[in-house]
Amino acid sequence: MANSLVQSLKAVFIMLGCVMVATLIYTVTIDGLPFRMELLTPWMGATLVDFYINVVPLAAWVSYKEANWFGAVIWVLLLVCLGSITTCTYITFQLFKLSAEESMHDPMYHLLLRNQIKSGTVHKRNSFQLLIARAVFGALGCLMLGTLVYTILTSGSPFRKELLTPWMTGTLIDFYINVVALSVWIGYKESSWIGAFAWIAGLICFGSLATCVYIVLQLFQLSPYDPIYFVLLNKQMRAESRYERTSG
């Protein structure tokens, strides 16, 4: 069952990466390069804000996973420049790095955590990091809410055909592929399918605003004695990790 999950995730993210590459090539071919001021309409600007706020948690995870700062910086820059193509490539690489044993036993745990944690290296708690993370994602959520309200007030509803330019369509595909990656994490985190479905629907409808709300709520479930990487884990694995840390 667990191994089939890994194989399914590999197939999904390889396919999504190929979809985004094809979308990028097609859009450049029919509409030219995106670096033109006329493309930056108010709703395109709001979509880009939404997109890059969702990149922040992905970049934070990549930075945590990488063993050195150089590798982390390279991957984060690629996330900023190439978006979901990088997301799919990175996740696929991480899935292929899982051992046969890791693929069979709770592969999401091994996918999310870095090797030093899995090998038992103890990391000191840092309540300051927790406070910073809460503040950052709270501020990003407020930024997205403000952007959304302002754009609706000044430019009207986004549900208009003339807004759906080739580059807007490409950006939305890019955005929702990243939403798939975040949805996989939420599906792992939530203990019930109803909760997972509700949050994923929130991501689809409200984008990075829902992402920030979800992450802030998860951060508030951590105690000052928990390392911040516990936010990646579901309740069961978090409880087991707390027990191992206290008994060890």
Side-chain angles (χ1 to χ4, degrees):
M1 178 69 176
N3 190 49
S4 64
L5 171 63
V6 173
Q7 297 306 320
S8 298
L9 289 175
K10 287 177 184 177
V12 166
F13 283 105
I14 289 171
M15 180 191 70
L16 290 176
C18 291
V19 167
M20 192 58 228
V21 169
T23 300
L24 183 61
I25 293 171
Y26 175 77
T27 309
V28 170
T29 301
I30 66 167
D31 200 35
L33 292 174
F35 310 110
R36 309 195 310 270
M37 284 302 297
E38 65 266 23
L39 295 176
L40 200 60
T41 62
W43 274 111
M44 175 61 92
T47 303
L48 289 172
V49 172
D50 205 9
F51 175 85
Y52 281 110
I53 290 176
N54 261 356
V55 166
V56 172
L58 294 169
W61 174 62
V62 167
S63 299
Y64 158 78
K65 282 281 287 184
E66 287 302 297
N68 61 77
W69 280 105
F70 180 76
V73 168
I74 295 298
W75 278 110
V76 169
L77 287 175
L78 288 172
L79 273 173
V80 172
C81 297
L82 298 178
S84 63
I85 294 174
T86 305
T87 304
C88 294
T89 302
Y90 189 81
I91 292 174
T92 302
F93 280 167
Q94 297 303 313
L95 288 166
F96 273 104
K97 286 168 65 175
L98 295 178
S99 66
E101 184 178 355
E102 289 171 339
S103 296
M104 291 298 296
H105 299 96
D106 202 348
M108 286 299 297
Y109 172 86
H110 297 289
L111 173 66
L112 290 167
L113 295 192
R114 62 184 177 192
N115 289 329
Q116 294 94 323
I117 302 294
K118 292 184 284 186
S119 63
T121 303
V122 176
H123 287 251
K124 295 180 180 179
R125 67 180 181 87
N126 192 334
S127 56
F128 183 69
Q129 286 183 350
L130 185 58
L131 291 173
I132 291 295
R134 290 171 180 170
V136 167
F137 284 103
L140 289 174
C142 291
L143 172 63
M144 190 59 231
L145 179 60
T147 301
L148 183 61
V149 171
Y150 175 80
T151 310
I152 289 173
L153 291 177
T154 58
S155 298
S157 169
F159 305 110
R160 307 197 308 273
K161 188 177 180 180
E162 64 268 22
L163 295 176
L164 207 59
T165 62
W167 274 110
M168 175 63 90
T169 303
T171 304
L172 288 172
I173 292 170
D174 206 6
F175 174 83
Y176 280 109
I177 290 175
N178 277 345
V179 165
V180 172
L182 293 167
S183 297
V184 170
W185 174 59
I186 288 176
Y188 161 77
K189 288 274 292 179
E190 290 299 302
S191 56
S192 72
W193 282 105
I194 295 174
F197 179 82
W199 278 110
I200 291 169
L203 258 65
I204 293 169
C205 297
F206 299 105
S208 63
L209 179 58
T211 303
C212 292
V213 171
Y214 186 81
I215 292 174
V216 169
L217 289 174
Q218 295 303 309
L219 288 168
F220 272 102
Q221 290 184 17
L222 301 183
S223 79
Y225 299 97
D226 291 330
I228 198 167
Y229 72 83
F230 271 22
V231 75
L232 295 169
L233 305 177
N234 60 25
K235 290 180 180 179
Q236 178 183 348
M237 292 309 302
R238 205 157 59 213
E240 291 179 13
S241 297
R242 282 185 184 129
Y243 176 77
E244 290 174 2
R245 285 168 63 85
T246 54
S247 61

